[in-house]
Amino acid sequence: MERYRVKPGSHINLEEWDASDAGGLDGGKGSAKDRLEELNEELEELQELLYAEHKRKVLMVLQGMDTSGKDGTIRHVFEGVNPQGVRVASFKVPTRIELDHDYLWRVHQQTPRRGEIVIFNRSHYEDLLVVRVRSLVPPEVWSRRYAHINDFERLLAEEGTTIIKFYLHIDLDEQKERFLARLNEPHKRWKFSLGDLKERKLWPQYMQAYEEVLNRTSTKWAPWYIVPANRKWYRNLMIATILVDTLKGLDMKYPEPEEGLDDVVIE
Ligand code: ADP
């Protein structure tokens, strides 16, 4: 797991990262499923503890190219977890009102409160990815954002938020397969948009933008993990493992019950 964590100040070249990596587990699909179920149960308990303790906040950021599996990850990793304690915030093309504010305005509103896990399905990193690749603002504007974002995340962390960021790493061949699957299955066609193909053409530019994000915004207080995501079962397993491990590391405790409960008689 540690090998997927981006050390602060790295020089990541994504071409050197194998998107089909399965960590040496082979044909492990059956047992991977069992392991994921165990992790789902652990996550369910940890989420309850987080909620009961009402002290810490957890923010999980999901980024990746189209079809990299952000939605599937949320569905599978959080299976069985109490929906009352988990919230998904999806960041789409900003509205006019959002564009009238600074780019972190809409993001800060969605950050977790005490006892809550929030999953960012896309995030403020779009302001260093699509915004850069599509030249939506000039370079002198987006280039300042690495520092803003590191500071913003430090603020959240110092105020009690545990942040984990996942980049779901697929390669061009895998994306082609997944787009074809969408086209070939009638009930998946709704997910396909011709605009996605325009983004695909910009793959090298996106990889460059991702590399710079990974190299410059993986910090001690908000680390990035590069998750090999060509194999969905391995992607889910890694993300669930890292999440459960991180939550366990928080050493959370149930609140002390009221005194005198041993003598309670319910009539
Ligand atoms: P998804 O692909 O996440 O399932 P959509 O197909 O609606 O959902 O895509 C959301 C789109 O919004 C993406 O193309 C993404 O790049 C875009 N987007 C998100 N944040 C921003 C932003 N800050 N500026 C411009 N576009 C953005």
Side-chain angles (χ1 to χ4, degrees):
M1 255 175 37
E2 270 309 297
R3 66 194 154 125
Y4 298 129
R5 184 145 66 102
V6 179
K7 317 252 170 330
S10 290
H11 299 282
I12 299 291
N13 173 358
L14 284 171
E15 275 182 14
E16 292 167 4
W17 289 69
D18 179 9
S20 295
D21 181 18
L25 303 175
D26 81 298
K29 238 188 140 169
S31 55
K33 206 164 166 240
D34 292 345
R35 180 70 194 122
L36 184 61
E37 270 174 33
E38 286 168 20
L39 287 164
N40 286 148
E41 278 169 33
E42 280 188 79
L43 189 57
E44 190 185 349
E45 283 166 28
L46 286 160
Q47 183 277 321
E48 194 175 317
L49 181 53
L50 179 89
Y51 182 82
E53 192 193 50
H54 198 71
K55 204 162 136 193
R56 300 154 221 261
K57 309 136 184 171
V58 176
L59 174 60
M60 170 170 149
V61 172
L62 284 179
Q63 281 289 160
M65 296 296 284
D66 283 328
T67 76
S68 61
K70 298 182 288 293
D71 297 316
T73 298
I74 298 170
R75 237 181 7 255
H76 293 291
V77 170
F78 288 88
E79 202 169 309
V81 177
N82 183 352
Q84 293 205 90
V86 180
R87 183 161 57 83
V88 181
S90 298
F91 293 94
K92 311 268 181 187
V93 177
T95 62
R96 276 183 56 194
I97 294 175
E98 287 168 347
L99 283 173
D100 278 346
H101 291 79
D102 69 82
Y103 67 99
L104 289 174
W105 179 75
R106 66 172 182 164
V107 178
H108 207 162
Q109 292 177 59
Q110 298 291 347
T111 53
R113 60 185 69 184
R114 287 182 207 278
E116 193 181 40
I117 300 176
V118 170
I119 306 158
F120 277 6
N121 183 354
R122 301 188 189 268
S123 64
H124 42 302
Y125 285 99
E126 292 293 326
D127 292 286
L128 279 170
L129 295 163
V130 65
V131 167
R132 168 180 176 172
V133 171
R134 289 260 165 221
S135 303
L136 302 181
V137 300
E140 61 271 24
V141 174
W142 60 254
S143 60
R144 294 193 289 254
R145 294 181 173 174
Y146 300 97
H148 296 160
I149 287 177
N150 285 337
D151 286 344
F152 170 63
E153 292 179 346
R154 188 208 292 265
L155 161 99
L156 297 179
E158 287 179 356
E159 291 288 319
T161 306
T162 299
I163 307 171
I164 338 173
K165 303 181 294 200
F166 295 105
Y167 163 62
L168 309 187
H169 184 44
I170 56 167
D171 56 32
L172 256 179
D173 291 340
E174 183 65 22
Q175 193 192 49
K176 183 174 176 183
E177 293 305 313
R178 293 185 185 185
F179 274 146
L180 286 174
R182 284 184 183 180
L183 280 174
N184 292 334
E185 282 185 45
H187 64 277
K188 279 196 179 170
R189 277 200 166 187
W190 66 273
K191 286 194 195 175
F192 192 87
S193 114
L194 287 169
D196 294 346
L197 295 183
K198 287 196 194 136
E199 301 305 302
R200 177 176 165 80
K201 284 219 174 81
L202 295 167
W203 189 278
Q205 288 89 326
Y206 271 105
M207 289 304 105
Q208 195 191 6
Y210 266 110
E211 282 167 359
E212 198 164 349
V213 160
L214 295 165
N215 290 334
R216 297 183 61 183
T217 62
S218 195
T219 52
K220 232 166 78 188
W221 58 91
W224 274 108
Y225 291 87
I226 300 175
V227 180
N230 275 4
R231 299 174 206 231
K232 296 174 182 171
W233 61 269
Y234 189 68
R235 171 201 77 200
N236 294 339
L237 198 57
M238 280 309 98
I239 293 183
T241 304
I242 293 166
L243 187 60
V244 164
D245 240 62
T246 305
L247 291 178
K248 276 187 181 161
L250 296 181
D251 197 23
M252 298 180 284
K253 305 221 166 18
Y254 280 104
E256 287 295 320
E258 277 182 42
E259 299 222 346
L261 293 190
D262 288 342
D263 308 323
V264 166
V265 178
I266 307 206
E267 294 181 351

